[in-house]
Amino acid sequence: MIVLEFENVGLRFRGGAGVQGLTFAVTAGEIVALVGLNGAGKTTLMRLALGMLRADHGTVTLHGSLMAELPASRWREVGAMVDAPLAYPELTVRQNLTVARLLRGTDPRLVDDAIARWQLGPVVDRRFRHLSLGNQQRVGLAAALQHEPRLIVLDEPSNALDPASVIVLREHLAERARDGAAILVSSHHLDEVARIADRILVMNAGRLIGGLDPATPDLERTFFARVLEDDEHRGCTP
Ligand SMILES: Nc1ncnc2c1ncn2[C@@H]1O[C@H](COP(=O)(O)OP(=O)(O)OP(=O)(O)O)[C@@H](O)[C@H]1O
């Protein structure tokens, strides 16, 4: 079952950058990783997927509904972290997770589960703005995932995470996928991507330029070869 679908989506920013011809789908139970160099357009694609940006042309659908027509009950099933963790700096960790829970109307016990899963106990009563970068990231991920979303969109989720938290993230995403969630995740860490993704989409210069099998030996080399080939094709290299 397709959860998120892009059909020929394009957006051009003032200044000329943007994305074009984006066509892909993420189905229930699948983890799709988006990889690309800095500025390739990954965050822009994710913002389009979440209705944070509106496409100039093409369609983005969630569960078969156009973004603008999506009922609130469907939005409740989305969990996302794009750019920075969404949190109130002056509220504590627990208060932030409670706010995130209330927005979705989910079971209060989920907050305690999230605190335990992300090992946030020692900082639970600390204000968000006083946390280290890695702990802020863990709170952001806990808030994005604690309501067991059916569609998960995460931009560079392993940024600033320590190795133990990377494992928590990996296991949590695998668990959500087993439970039928559709997952789109961007990353610069190809090793990590190879561990968690069912499929890899490569992005370059605002376009999707193909897929990579996570089991490909020497994934990094294959990725760079694809990007270079695309750049040469577009006449971007000397
Ligand atoms: N609001 C905006 N206005 C103008 N240009 C933008 C805007 N947002 C992004 N861009 C440009 O669009 C291109 C794609 O940016 P985007 O942030 O989507 O890339 P990315 O693949 O996520 O990069 P990174 O890996 O560095 O996070 C870049 O050239 C960027 O400068």
Side-chain angles (χ1 to χ4, degrees), residues 182-204:
I183 302 174
L184 179 65
V185 58
S186 80
S187 182
H188 289 294
H189 304 288
L190 287 167
D191 287 349
E192 184 55 26
V193 158
R195 283 207 181 98
I196 62 165
D198 298 303
R199 255 180 334 120
I200 300 174
L201 296 176
V202 182
M203 216 172 170
N204 192 42

Side-chain angles (χ1 to χ4, degrees), residues 3-161:
V3 177
L4 172 68
E5 188 166 26
F6 274 49
E7 280 217 24
N8 198 26
V9 172
L11 167 65
R12 195 179 160 92
F13 293 115
R14 227 180 289 165
V19 293
Q20 53 179 302
L22 302 180
T23 298
F24 72 99
V26 187
T27 59
E30 181 180 46
I31 303 181
V32 176
L34 194 59
V35 300
L37 301 178
N38 287 137
K42 304 177 296 295
T43 304
T44 303
L45 180 155
M46 292 191 155
R47 286 189 181 139
L48 286 161
L50 296 165
M52 296 161 73
L53 287 172
R54 192 158 290 189
D56 293 335
H57 56 83
T59 55
V60 179
T61 52
L62 260 65
H63 297 284
S65 299
L66 285 172
M67 196 64 73
E69 295 160 11
L70 203 69
S73 56
R74 281 293 187 194
W75 273 119
R76 220 178 279 161
E77 296 176 356
V78 177
M81 194 170 88
V82 174
D83 300 328
L86 195 62
Y88 293 94
E90 294 302 332
L91 296 188
T92 66
V93 169
R94 182 181 287 284
Q95 287 167 336
N96 267 295
L97 293 178
T98 302
V99 168
R101 179 194 74 74
L102 288 170
L103 280 173
R104 269 77 177 228
T106 46
D107 190 330
R109 281 172 299 189
L110 292 179
V111 171
D112 288 317
D113 292 350
I115 288 166
R117 181 190 291 271
W118 291 96
Q119 291 147 29
L120 290 165
V123 294
V124 80
D125 294 320
R126 246 189 245 166
R127 289 179 201 269
F128 181 82
R129 71 183 172 90
H130 290 153
L131 298 179
S132 70
L133 214 56
N135 278 337
Q136 290 190 349
Q137 186 79 351
R138 290 201 283 161
V139 173
L141 287 166
L145 299 174
Q146 66 179 355
H147 60 292
E148 302 180 344
R150 311 300 299 168
L151 171 65
I152 296 171
V153 178
L154 301 174
D155 194 12
E156 311 275 356
S158 55
N159 269 359
L161 290 186

